[in-house]
């Protein structure tokens, strides 16, 4: 395998999140999603990407954060909760999904998640229903 065939490093992908080209930003966010917890060093850049004007970048950043699970909650919980009101359904879906992957921390977001159970988008509704159940199961004293 040549250097040209090597996958990009986390540092290169973080740089990609700041690229002027929205396709490169979305591609970098998607690649970070595939890295899961190995993308941990990219968390601050991913949280910043949740505010990107391009919905696909926001959605993929939320997905990448979700793959980091509870470890991302401290920095990402509030920005993900704000995305629950995004005007674009795939962004809301990935925000709900990400919160479902950090159910212990997402207990504080239960009210906002419950509102998504009635979302206009079927995919968001289904994800919200599953996430609310996970969050309640993770904090039985609060259910």
């Amino acid at each position: 395998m040549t250097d040209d065939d090597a996958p990009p490093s986390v540092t290169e992908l973080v740089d990609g999140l700041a690229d002027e080209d929205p396709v490169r930003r979305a591609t970098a966010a998607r690649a970070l999603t595939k890295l899961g917890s190995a993308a941990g060093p990219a968390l601050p850049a991913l949280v910043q990407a949740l505010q990107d004007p391009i919905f696909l970048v926001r959605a993929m950043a939320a997905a990448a954060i979700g793959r980091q699970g509870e470890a991302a909650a401290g920095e990402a919980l509030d920005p993900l909760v704000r995305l629950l009101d995004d005007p674009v359904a795939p962004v809301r879906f990935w925000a709900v999904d990400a919160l479902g992957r950090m159910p212990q921390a997402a207990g504080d977001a239960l009210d906002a998640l419950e509102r998504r159970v009635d979302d206009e988008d079927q995919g968001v509704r289904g994800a919200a229903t599953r996430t609310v159940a996970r969050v309640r199961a993770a904090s039985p004293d609060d259910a």
Side-chain angles (χ1 to χ4, degrees):
M1 186 154 91
T2 67
D3 285 344
D4 291 340
D5 295 333
S9 69
V10 171
T11 302
E12 291 169 322
L13 294 172
V14 167
D15 290 344
L17 288 173
D19 199 284
E20 288 182 16
D21 181 355
V23 173
R24 287 188 180 156
R25 293 195 309 272
T27 301
R30 186 169 189 273
L32 286 163
T33 298
K34 293 179 181 182
L35 293 179
S37 62
L43 183 59
L46 287 166
V47 169
Q48 182 67 32
L50 295 176
Q51 299 176 36
D52 197 280
I54 304 300
F55 85 87
L56 189 55
V57 177
R58 295 192 307 277
M60 289 297 94
I65 290 168
R67 298 304 188 275
Q68 295 181 33
E70 296 284 349
E75 191 168 344
L77 185 68
D78 289 340
L80 286 169
V81 170
R82 285 192 293 274
L83 279 190
L84 295 177
D85 292 323
D86 196 277
V88 181
V91 176
R92 294 193 307 275
F93 173 88
W94 287 111
V96 167
D97 181 78
L99 290 165
R101 293 170 185 266
M102 49 184 82
Q104 292 176 339
D108 291 340
L110 193 55
D111 288 343
L113 285 164
E114 287 174 335
R115 286 193 300 273
R116 290 297 122 214
V117 170
D118 294 322
D119 195 274
E120 64 191 43
D121 181 82
Q122 180 179 2
V124 175
R125 286 193 307 271
T129 300
R130 290 186 298 276
T131 294
V132 166
R134 273 190 218 126
V135 170
R136 285 185 178 148
S139 50
D141 295 337
D142 298 330

